[in-house]
Amino acid sequence: MDQLAKTMDQAIKTTTIKTGKYLTFSLDEEEYGICILKVKEIIGMMPITAVPRTPKFVKGVINLRGKVIPVMDLRLKFNMGEIPYTDRTCIIVVEIELETSTVLIGIVVDAVSEVLNIQENEIEETPAFGTALDTAYILGLAKINGGVKILLNIDKVLSTQEIDGIGKVS
């Protein structure tokens, strides 16, 4: 009986997490969404201090009102081509949950679009791409106005080792 209750709780929690408001942004002409509860703020591009011996997708750190925050370029993390930053390029500061704590990380995106309220019936499960491709970082696919927005589980975009490495940078 306890197992059934846990399974039901998990299913309700998963549905609740997927349904809600998402900040949408673009990367390489594709639209993505992050649950608005994970977004702490959106800032324009600012000087980024490079940190030696970090992965290529880690651009460095910024000083955000006295707090040092690591910044990664989501284009590079997703193996997309690097492009010069424009006036529309933004840093979205997100809160990533670890097992015992949270960490703030800035992610560079091409442009922020809008906040959408996405309902359960607009979200499709992530299709299987085979065992070679881990899609745990995708919450689902939102069907909006004839297009598809990829809903990211920002807590799973980085592996535990990558988060540990980035955490040491800040």
Side-chain angles (χ1 to χ4, degrees):
M1 192 67 167
D2 284 342
Q3 184 62 33
L4 179 61
K6 284 182 182 177
T7 303
M8 294 291 290
D9 285 347
Q10 185 64 31
I12 291 169
K13 187 176 178 182
T14 300
T15 300
T16 303
I17 289 172
K18 286 184 177 180
T19 303
K21 293 187 177 187
Y22 286 83
L23 174 70
T24 61
F25 59 91
S26 62
L27 280 178
D28 201 21
E29 300 186 22
E30 299 296 336
E31 289 284 321
Y32 295 83
I34 297 175
C35 180
I36 197 76
L37 298 175
K38 293 289 188 182
V39 176
K40 293 303 163 197
E41 65 182 286
I42 302 165
I43 56 177
M45 288 306 295
M46 58 191 304
I48 299 173
T49 303
V51 177
R53 302 181 66 186
T54 56
K56 186 175 180 183
F57 64 86
V58 177
K59 301 305 284 183
V61 294
I62 59 172
N63 181 345
L64 186 63
R65 294 183 294 280
K67 187 167 180 66
V68 175
I69 297 174
V71 175
M72 72 172 182
D73 190 323
L74 211 48
R75 277 181 154 273
L76 300 180
K77 175 62 184 159
F78 288 165
N79 294 322
M80 297 173 181
E82 190 169 9
I83 62 169
Y85 296 146
T86 68
D87 292 343
R88 296 198 42 126
T89 307
C90 296
I91 298 173
I92 303 172
V93 179
V94 295
E95 187 175 70
I96 295 180
E97 289 183 33
L98 306 176
E99 285 184 25
T100 58
S101 64
T102 60
V103 62
L104 291 178
I105 293 180
I107 58 172
V108 177
V109 300
D110 292 353
V112 169
S113 303
E114 61 187 327
V115 175
L116 293 174
N117 193 10
I118 300 177
Q119 302 301 313
E120 182 180 356
N121 64 347
E122 297 173 310
I123 301 173
E124 292 279 330
E125 292 295 322
T126 307
F129 293 101
T131 56
L133 182 62
D134 178 18
T135 58
Y137 64 93
I138 300 175
L139 275 176
L141 304 172
K143 304 169 288 183
I144 307 286
N145 298 329
V148 174
K149 297 187 188 306
I150 300 169
L151 305 179
L152 296 178
N153 181 347
I154 199 66
D155 293 331
K156 303 224 173 172
V157 168
L158 296 172
S159 68
T160 305
Q161 294 84 9
E162 290 170 331
I163 291 172
D164 285 346
I166 289 175
K168 289 175 184 169
V169 169
S170 63

